[in-house]
Amino acid sequence: MAKVESQAKQAKGQKVKMTPSEAIVETLVAEGVKEVYGILGSAFMDMLDLFPTAGINFLPVRHEQTAAHMADAYTRVSGVAGVVVGQNGPGITNMVTSVAAANQAHTPMVVISPSAGTPTIGWDGFQECNQVSVFESITKETVQVTHVSRVADNLRTAFRIAYAERGPVLFDIPRDYFYGELEDEILEPHQYRTDARGAGDPASLSKAVDLLKEAEYPVIISGRGAVDADGIDDVKAIAEHLTAPVAVSYMHNDAFPDEHPLAVGPIGYMGSKAAMRTLQKADVVLAVGTRLSVFGTLPCYDIDYFPKQAKIIQVDINPRNIARTHPVEVGIIGDAKAASKEIAERLKRETPGRTRNGERMSEVATEKEKWEEELVDLAMEDGNPINPRRALLELTRAVPEGTMISTDIGNVSSTANAYLKFNQPRKHIAALTFGNTGFAYPAALGAQLADPDSPAVAIIGDGAWGMSLHEVSTAVEQNIPVVACVFNNGAWCAEKKNQVDYYNNRFVGADIDAPDFAEVARSMGAQGYRVDKPEDVGPVVAEAIKSRKPAVIDIQVDGTQLAPPFRKDALKMPTRHLQKYKHLDVESWGNK
């Protein structure tokens, strides 16, 4: 191995002869890539042959959609751009959903995309597909290799854009371009990209500080950008100087420590009423590292909480996100950490004698206490067999501090937004606004690989589990000790709730007839548990985590205790004009 390392060092700093496969692999090594996810394919086998010697682990999955979900979570936890690869054609197109999810999650990723060989392009050959056109709208960029001499250069470009624009980039390379010879220099990342963004325009920062100094009730929203930039301590410094309550953006519950006395919890669907009631009072909102997404700021619990008259200061690294959804008073294009640090330092210099606002601290404590009591009261209502909220409450009480928790999309997974609390960053890995089911389990696998020392738990509905359970084989094969908590209510309950409220309890395609998931898990070599008593949830979760083995917990929950409609903003009561469908019209419901 020492000989290999010395050869790699010799290659850097001068042009040397190598194959395209070697140029790709050496660039991955320079980028600090340790894991590549995918399924074995002939198109990239020449590159794959180099991985063991290069110290790169190829992690084979059971479906390529899993690969990009794993890479997405790996990046969110580690900060290193994830890399995936697949066979040209179906292998790559199988990743469309998970790459699109990473794109909306702003996760840096490189998709190594072998394409049809140049001699046969356009002949509709075996596994031929114009992958560039497929991925153009769901990536930050598609980089095509046009000549073997450009392989390393194009891959560097892919990494540069992935980090700079925070999202996936397609690196499209004809499968015959892995072979041949080229001369190139293996560069260090600092030679072709930079991550230093700066605090933003000084005049804008000054205006932001002036607004915050004069604010009567400032509130901070901390988002994913604060996590990625390691800027939470700087956000905390602003909050403490101003006595400003801090909410976290939708499904980024780890963007500010819950134990902090100024923390009020998450906004967005099934978030914290304490956060929503607090945000309603704001005259100035400092939004740090968040795009303030439309869905993540919609009214919830019939509380239209996002303030209409408040002056918004938005800090985001991407100028496209500034004022995209809400008009701002000050927009700051800058790094969340650098900007927060600068704002905190200026506030301390310009208002050195500012004292803590005891009344506001008391208000925050009261709101949090009221909300916590409501959450517990809702959870303690009886269910048949288990109230899903009770299961969430017991789960969150049982997991050790520092546990990474991934959440899927669905009725129970979304309700988890109210119960999940974190005191450390890079611990909450949620499906976010692309909203595809089947995310949580592969994401937990990727998170566990990024941070092997922290427990990893996935919260999944039984519908989403049907899209994920095949990867238990991957967990067992690779010895990845993720605990899958499957909330089994026998239906696609997020959608079923829509049929309850908007379609008079007419259920089409909602119910799921599933096997015993614990038994299935055991047959695949994992630990399997079935829980149908609320008092057993916590002990079983604790036991599964302690085992440090792949585990599946089939938690039987009540399918009638449902959260409000997920897309209440986009649904309408049904109107029917044709006579044969009149009995389905909302006006006919009372005539049965």
Side-chain angles (χ1 to χ4, degrees):
M1 191 65 187
K3 184 179 179 182
V4 173
E5 289 174 352
S6 66
Q7 288 174 346
K9 289 179 181 177
Q10 182 182 2
K12 293 168 185 173
Q14 58 180 316
K15 285 193 174 185
V16 296
K17 183 185 290 187
M18 52 190 143
T19 68
S21 289
E22 289 170 331
I24 291 170
V25 171
E26 285 298 291
T27 301
L28 294 178
V29 170
E31 279 285 353
V33 173
K34 304 295 184 186
E35 307 267 1
V36 174
Y37 309 94
I39 294 178
L40 177 67
S42 60
F44 58 94
M45 199 167 285
D46 191 66
M47 176 190 74
L48 194 64
D49 185 54
L50 306 177
F51 277 12
T53 304
I56 297 173
N57 181 36
F58 179 67
L59 204 145
V61 295
R62 299 311 190 260
H63 190 285
E64 286 93 350
Q65 178 172 321
T66 297
H69 281 326
M70 288 179 72
D72 183 351
Y74 182 93
T75 302
R76 295 196 213 179
V77 173
S78 70
V80 177
V83 178
V84 296
V85 66
Q87 180 73 354
N88 60 284
I92 296 299
T93 59
N94 274 349
M95 297 181 190
V96 166
T97 296
S98 46
V99 171
N103 191 49
Q104 286 210 23
H106 308 287
T107 302
M109 180 187 296
V110 172
V111 181
I112 297 178
S113 168
S115 54
T118 55
T120 62
I121 290 176
W123 284 356
D124 295 332
F126 183 64
Q127 297 183 321
E128 181 176 353
C129 173
N130 186 341
Q131 290 149 203
V132 169
S133 65
V134 172
F135 280 79
E136 277 177 335
S137 65
I138 57 169
T139 56
K140 299 305 178 186
E141 186 62 81
T142 55
V143 179
Q144 293 179 270
V145 179
T146 55
H147 192 273
V148 291
S149 66
R150 296 286 305 284
V151 166
D153 171 64
N154 290 151
L155 186 53
R156 292 192 290 263
T157 296
F159 276 102
R160 180 165 58 249
I161 296 171
Y163 279 111
E165 299 195 18
R166 311 299 299 171
V169 175
L170 189 80
F171 171 73
D172 191 78
I173 173 171
R175 56 182 295 162
D176 53 313
Y177 279 11
F178 286 94
Y179 304 92
E181 293 181 358
L182 62 95
E183 287 194 1
D184 204 346
E185 179 182 348
I186 300 301
L187 302 177
E188 296 287 351
H190 75 268
Q191 293 178 281
Y192 56 88
R193 64 177 178 85
T194 179
D195 293 329
R197 313 297 178 93
D201 172 52
S204 297
L205 288 163
S206 295
K207 189 174 180 182
V209 169
D210 288 342
L211 280 175
L212 291 168
K213 286 192 304 184
E214 300 302 321
E216 293 183 10
Y217 205 105
V219 176
I220 299 171
I221 302 175
S222 183
R224 161 87 180 271
V227 176
D228 286 345
D230 296 322
I232 293 174
D233 284 344
D234 302 285
V235 174
K236 193 187 301 182
I238 299 171
E240 291 171 353
H241 186 76
L242 296 173
T243 318
V246 183
V248 291
S249 63
Y250 177 59
M251 283 299 183
H252 293 298
N253 295 21
D254 58 351
F256 197 77
D258 178 76
E259 64 189 2
H260 195 282
L262 287 166
V264 290
I267 59 173
Y269 178 70
M270 300 307 291
S272 161
K273 287 185 181 178
M276 295 173 192
R277 293 186 184 117
T278 301
L279 192 56
Q280 278 183 318
K281 304 174 187 176
D283 61 333
V284 174
V285 175
L286 173 61
V288 181
T290 170
R291 60 195 172 99
L292 297 174
S293 72
V294 171
F295 185 75
T297 54
L298 285 174
C300 188
Y301 312 116
D302 295 321
I303 305 173
D304 190 2
Y305 61 88
F306 201 86
K308 304 297 186 293
Q309 304 303 319
K311 295 177 180 178
I312 298 174
I313 303 163
Q314 187 178 7
V315 179
D316 200 280
I317 196 62
N318 188 343
R320 292 189 180 194
N321 290 336
I322 302 291
R324 186 179 177 190
T325 56
H326 299 275
V328 302
E329 189 71 18
V330 181
I332 298 172
I333 303 168
D335 176 79
K337 177 179 177 62
S340 297
K341 184 177 181 181
E342 180 67 21
I343 289 170
E345 288 177 352
R346 291 192 186 201
L347 284 169
K348 290 174 184 177
R349 283 198 308 268
E350 296 178 26
T351 54
R354 190 158 184 149
T355 58
R356 188 176 69 172
N357 186 324
E359 182 180 348
R360 191 172 300 150
M361 296 288 290
S362 179
E363 284 180 19
V364 168
T366 299
E367 288 290 359
K368 289 173 71 175
E369 185 178 343
K370 282 168 51 181
W371 176 231
E372 187 63 27
E373 286 177 2
E374 183 176 344
L375 284 177
V376 173
D377 288 345
L378 289 168
M380 298 311 291
E381 293 176 6
D382 288 338
N384 183 21
I386 304 175
N387 180 344
R389 286 178 173 270
R390 174 73 182 277
L392 287 169
L393 180 66
E394 299 297 341
L395 184 156
T396 54
R397 285 174 171 176
V399 296
E401 180 69 29
T403 298
M404 298 178 290
I405 301 180
S406 64
T407 51
D408 220 283
I409 288 295
N411 203 273
V412 179
S413 298
S414 299
T415 303
N417 191 29
Y419 289 87
L420 293 177
K421 299 175 177 66
F422 301 89
N423 294 312
Q424 301 168 26
R426 302 183 188 276
K427 300 298 183 183
H428 188 194
I429 303 102
L432 302 178
T433 52
F434 193 64
N436 67 289
T437 48
F439 168 86
Y441 188 64
L445 296 177
Q448 186 70 94
L449 290 168
D451 183 0
D453 296 328
S454 298
V457 172
I459 293 176
I460 319 157
D462 52 333
W465 187 236
M467 299 182 179
S468 312
L469 64 83
H470 52 279
E471 296 299 348
V472 172
S473 297
T474 301
V476 171
E477 176 187 271
Q478 302 295 325
N479 193 27
I480 308 173
V482 164
V483 177
C485 295
V486 183
F487 287 72
N488 193 341
N489 50 24
W492 294 98
C493 278
E495 302 301 342
K496 192 169 190 175
K497 178 60 173 170
N498 294 330
Q499 293 175 332
V500 170
D501 287 2
Y502 291 86
Y503 296 95
N504 202 25
N505 291 288
R506 297 190 297 270
F507 303 121
V508 180
D511 295 322
I512 297 171
D513 186 9
D516 183 328
F517 292 131
E519 183 180 336
V520 172
R522 289 191 290 269
S523 73
M524 299 171 80
Q527 306 280 87
Y529 307 84
R530 183 181 171 93
V531 179
D532 55 17
K533 296 178 181 177
E535 62 270 20
D536 291 342
V537 174
V540 170
V541 169
E543 179 184 336
I545 291 173
K546 189 176 180 180
S547 76
R548 296 305 287 159
K549 294 179 180 179
V552 176
I553 306 175
D554 188 340
I555 305 173
Q556 301 291 304
V557 296
D558 195 322
T560 65
Q561 293 173 310
L562 304 176
F566 197 76
R567 291 307 312 275
K568 193 173 181 179
D569 62 305
L571 288 163
K572 295 179 181 179
M573 290 296 182
T575 300
R576 307 291 180 240
H577 295 293
L578 295 179
Q579 190 58 42
K580 67 183 290 187
Y581 301 119
K582 271 295 183 182
H583 65 290
L584 305 176
D585 193 292
V586 64
E587 299 297 330
S588 303
W589 289 4
N591 299 328
K592 287 189 175 182

